[in-house]
Amino acid sequence: MNPPVTALPNPDPGRWRPLRIGLVDLFHYDVEEFWFRDGRLLLRGNNGTGKSKVLALTLPFLLDGDLSARRVEPDGDPGKRMEWNLLLGGAHPHPERLGYTWIEFGRFDDTTGEAHFRTLLCGLKAVAGRGIARHWFAVTDQRVGAGLDLLDATGTALSRDRLAEAVGSHGMVYDTAKTYRRAVDEALFGLGERRYGALVDLLIQLRQPQLSKRPSEAALSRALTEALPPMDQAVVADAAEAFRSLDEEKEELRAAREAEQASSAFLDHYRRYARIASRRRARLPRREHARYENIQRELLKAQTDRDQAATDREEARARGVALGERAARLAAQDAALRSGPEMRDAHALDRAATDASRTAGELTRAEGDWRTAAEAHTRALGRLATAGNRLTASQEALDDIQDRVAQSAAAARLDVPRTEGAPEPVLRREADETTTGRRRAVEHVTELATRAERAEERRGAARLRADEADEEAVHSGERLAEAEENVAGAGQALVTAVREYLSGCVELRMPGLPGVLDAVQDWVSGLDGPLPARTAAAEAHRTAASRLADRAAGLAHRQAATAERQRLALEELTVLETGGERGPAAPHTRTPDVRDRGLGAPLWRLVDFRPHVTEADRAGLEAALEASGLLDAWVRPDGSTVAADGHDVLLDPVGR
């Protein structure tokens, strides 16, 4: 546990001095602090207690920020990798671990009477099999244990994003060592990038093991020399330029010009050959692409025909339904007119018959149109299936052709110009010059010595070019670090964009958004596999689509049931409007009808209610008659009855 705020050390007046160093979930420590006194720290203990490991993980590592073993470990052993300090091994292995190392500096300002603090931190996350998965740095004016806690309420070390939230406006979190070193230099030293780098290199050189046990002026001088910055390349270049001969420059310039001309001629010829070969190779893909576009147009036309046929079929079906309903209404009207005592006019019956025949003709024509639309729809579906098969075959052929083109291009090395070897005239001319030189060497020993001196000068020039190459390598390393910093910034921007986009989605809700963001953060460091956000969004889309499909199926079923009930109600309404009567529905428990359907009629057609009987009483009487089987009992002319379900029924009419 961290000591209370009042027990923390106070800084002294003057320059910055170290006050504390600490480790959180590193090496064999959970949470540990070591305090300085007057800027000095004394670690005592037996061999193997971790004294060297504490210093290796704090100073000068927190001033340098380089995780390589040659910079972190005092002996520079490459086998001592940084991830071992987190994962350990042996009797205490960890599959995954996150830890921190930090140092606190402080100084007291006499003029203002204020105490100033600077805390440098480095967070490390290691995963078994992957090494250091991620690392980050921070510079803040907060103090660990007094405003800044590296552990949450559950005792777990903070992640990079949570550390950034904890630091807030009191500092900055960095993802690259270069920007972190610049921030440390600006916060504590103000030496500049070059002088600060030389200071850190000197500290690493002086930390070499056994350097203080066996003092050696030569070793100390060599260490200080290696820590000094390199000599200005401009001075070296001026000195080398003073010793370079003009003849050698002319010879090298002539050789370079001839090589450039030969290379340009070869490249022109090879570029022309590559264009012709590429055009020949691309002929087949272009032809297949034209076939693909034709098939796409045919497919679009087939889909349009299918949609039009479906529309025609639906219109014909609707017309058939409307004409059927109209025919039913006219038939019902014809039946009512023929059976009604007040509608016996023969001319009206003839007109109704004429309308019925006309309606039947229209129904026949509508059925013919519907069948024609159905056949057109079937043909459109066939053409669509054929076009789809042709599209699939064309796509497979196009993929195969593209594979063959890529293999042919790789075999022909179209993208790698072949520039090895010098032209034959140059080789012949160099051979002649070498032969002449050797003959002259046999005859003139003095000229041989002169050429030896010139060879020494060329060796100096080669050394100069080697130094320039080393300087270019250093610049390349810096550009690589800047590129890594840009990649880290792009990854952070991607995580932010994913968070904003997924948080703003309304219909597509993403369960477990923090876990998805952590997965995206881990993916950015390695780009291994597909983007986790895209995979999670696709899974959420599939879930939402399945849920909506189930809901649409339920609604379609309910719509069909409602349409069926509406159709039955319209049929009943039509029958009632034409003067028809609807008998009681047969009960579900009725056995097969055993009645002798001779003369007679059902009871409900033979009786009616008295005018004084109310609607409620009528409903009750009808229900009682239906439950007893008398409502649709068949009454013969002699007064006897036959029950609809074959049971005995007693009906005793009472005269009034």
Side-chain angles (χ1 to χ4, degrees):
M1 296 296 292
N2 295 332
V5 177
T6 56
L8 296 180
N10 296 320
D12 295 329
R15 57 186 176 86
W16 292 101
R17 294 188 181 183
L19 300 179
R20 294 182 295 163
I21 58 175
L23 301 175
V24 177
D25 286 342
L26 274 178
F27 192 54
H28 292 290
Y29 300 105
D30 292 332
V31 179
E32 193 64 37
E33 289 186 11
F34 304 89
W35 290 18
F36 289 80
R37 183 176 180 85
D38 294 334
R40 296 175 175 84
L41 176 66
L42 177 63
L43 298 176
R44 301 177 59 184
N46 298 328
N47 292 334
T49 56
K51 303 185 300 296
S52 299
K53 184 60 66 177
V54 171
L55 291 179
L57 294 175
T58 54
L59 287 173
F61 167 68
L62 288 173
L63 299 178
D64 185 21
D66 192 344
L67 272 66
S68 59
R70 64 181 181 83
R71 306 279 289 185
V72 175
E73 298 296 331
D75 54 359
D77 186 4
K80 297 179 180 180
R81 303 180 64 85
M82 179 61 78
E83 58 264 26
W84 183 89
N85 298 310
L86 291 163
L87 304 178
L88 297 178
H92 307 284
H94 294 274
E96 180 176 348
R97 197 180 184 193
L98 189 152
Y100 281 89
T101 173
W102 58 274
I103 183 172
E104 181 186 80
F105 293 87
R107 71 180 183 87
F108 184 81
D109 192 350
D110 291 330
T111 58
T112 61
E114 295 180 356
H116 302 277
F117 302 94
R118 290 291 185 275
T119 303
L120 314 181
L121 304 98
C122 177
L124 303 166
K125 179 181 180 181
V127 180
R130 293 176 53 191
I132 297 297
R134 195 179 182 193
H135 65 282
W136 55 91
F137 308 89
V139 178
T140 177
D141 57 2
Q142 298 170 299
R143 306 188 71 181
V144 176
L148 177 62
D149 294 325
L150 301 180
L151 299 175
D152 58 12
T154 62
T156 304
L158 300 180
S159 63
R160 193 262 185 205
D161 295 337
R162 297 181 63 186
L163 176 65
E165 294 177 358
V167 172
S169 60
H170 296 279
M172 186 69 68
V173 178
Y174 307 91
D175 292 324
T176 61
K178 181 179 180 181
T179 55
Y180 168 72
R181 285 195 300 268
R182 185 185 301 116
V184 173
D185 180 26
E186 293 174 357
L188 298 177
F189 302 97
L191 298 176
E193 182 177 357
R194 188 172 180 179
R195 295 177 60 194
Y196 180 74
L199 172 63
V200 174
D201 293 339
L202 177 61
L203 292 177
I204 294 175
Q205 290 291 336
L206 295 177
R207 192 193 53 173
Q208 294 179 359
Q210 310 300 329
L211 185 63
S212 61
K213 280 190 175 181
R214 295 189 298 272
S216 173
E217 294 181 359
L220 182 60
S221 176
R222 184 171 58 256
L224 294 174
T225 301
E226 293 176 355
L228 292 175
M231 185 179 292
D232 190 2
Q233 294 298 322
V235 178
V236 178
D238 293 339
E241 187 68 24
F243 294 96
R244 182 176 300 174
S245 70
L246 297 177
D247 294 337
E248 182 180 358
E249 285 291 334
K250 289 181 179 180
E251 186 65 25
E252 290 183 357
L253 181 61
R254 182 184 59 81
R257 185 180 294 109
E258 292 178 354
E260 190 272 335
Q261 292 175 356
S263 300
S264 299
F266 172 76
L267 287 177
D268 293 338
H269 176 74
Y270 195 80
R271 189 179 295 109
R272 185 166 54 254
Y273 163 75
R275 284 198 298 267
I276 297 173
S278 300
R279 190 177 296 108
R280 290 176 179 175
R281 294 289 185 180
R283 184 179 304 161
L284 182 59
R286 288 199 303 270
R287 184 170 61 250
E288 293 299 326
H289 182 69
R291 287 183 55 196
Y292 168 77
E293 290 181 348
N294 293 332
I295 293 174
Q296 283 289 94
R297 286 191 291 270
E298 293 178 0
L299 176 61
L300 180 60
K301 185 177 182 301
Q303 290 177 348
T304 304
D305 295 341
R306 186 196 63 177
D307 296 339
Q308 184 62 35
T311 303
D312 295 341
R313 184 185 63 180
E314 293 298 329
E315 292 178 354
R317 182 179 299 171
R319 288 175 56 192
V321 172
L323 292 175
E325 293 177 354
R326 183 179 177 186
R329 286 196 299 270
L330 292 176
Q333 290 177 4
D334 180 64
L337 291 173
R338 289 181 181 276
S339 61
E342 67 280 6
M343 300 295 292
R344 299 186 182 275
D345 191 352
H347 296 288
L349 291 176
D350 293 338
R351 286 195 299 271
T354 302
D355 293 339
S357 62
R358 186 186 303 110
T359 303
E362 293 180 356
L363 177 60
T364 303
R365 288 194 299 274
E367 290 177 351
D369 295 340
W370 181 84
R371 284 192 296 271
T372 302
E375 292 174 357
H377 177 66
T378 303
R379 290 194 298 271
L381 289 179
R383 292 196 300 272
L384 178 61
T386 303
N389 295 332
R390 293 176 61 188
L391 176 61
T392 303
S394 299
Q395 187 66 35
E396 292 176 354
L398 181 59
D399 294 340
D400 184 64
I401 290 168
Q402 289 178 351
D403 294 338
R404 293 200 303 270
V405 168
Q407 294 175 2
S408 300
R413 302 179 64 184
L414 296 179
D415 55 343
V416 182
R418 303 178 59 185
T419 59
E420 63 272 4
E424 183 178 356
V426 176
L427 295 177
R428 187 179 301 278
R429 184 168 49 257
E430 289 179 356
D432 295 338
E433 291 177 357
T434 303
T435 303
T436 303
R438 289 188 177 182
R439 289 176 181 177
R440 292 178 180 177
V442 174
E443 298 174 357
H444 304 284
V445 178
T446 305
E447 185 177 358
L448 179 63
T450 303
R451 292 186 178 184
E453 293 177 355
R454 293 180 179 179
E456 181 64 24
E457 293 175 354
R458 287 194 296 271
R459 187 173 67 86
R463 183 181 300 171
L464 175 61
R465 289 192 294 271
D467 294 338
E468 293 175 352
D470 292 338
E471 184 178 2
E472 181 64 23
V474 173
H475 293 323
S476 299
E478 294 177 354
R479 290 194 295 271
L480 178 60
E482 292 177 356
E484 291 176 350
E485 182 179 358
N486 295 333
V487 168
Q492 186 64 32
L494 175 61
V495 173
T496 304
V498 169
R499 181 190 296 110
E500 293 176 355
Y501 179 80
L502 295 181
S503 299
C505 290
V506 179
E507 296 294 337
L508 187 63
R509 291 296 183 181
M510 184 70 63
L513 181 57
V516 174
L517 295 177
D518 292 340
V520 172
Q521 186 68 50
D522 295 337
W523 178 84
V524 166
S525 60
L527 301 179
D528 187 12
L531 181 61
R534 184 178 290 108
T535 303
E539 183 63 26
H541 177 266
R542 285 193 295 270
T543 302
S546 177
R547 184 176 66 255
L548 292 177
D550 294 339
R551 184 178 178 185
L555 292 176
H557 179 71
R558 291 176 56 188
Q559 184 179 5
T562 304
E564 181 63 21
R565 291 196 300 270
Q566 184 179 6
R567 185 184 64 80
L568 295 176
L570 288 176
E571 292 178 356
E572 181 179 355
L573 179 61
T574 302
V575 173
L576 295 176
E577 287 177 351
T578 56
E581 295 179 347
R582 184 173 62 89
H588 298 287
T589 57
R590 171 170 291 171
T591 56
D593 196 355
V594 296
R595 299 176 295 178
D596 182 14
R597 296 282 186 167
L599 297 176
L603 178 63
W604 62 273
R605 285 187 179 273
L606 302 177
V607 298
D608 198 356
F609 293 102
R610 296 294 184 104
H612 66 273
V613 181
T614 62
E615 294 293 334
D617 294 337
R618 292 184 181 188
L621 289 173
E622 285 183 352
L625 291 173
E626 184 177 7
S628 63
L630 289 175
L631 188 60
D632 58 345
W634 194 263
V635 181
R636 295 182 176 139
D638 58 353
S640 61
T641 59
V642 179
D645 54 359
H647 295 280
D648 295 334
V649 176
L650 179 60
L651 181 62
D652 186 12
V654 179
R656 294 292 183 184

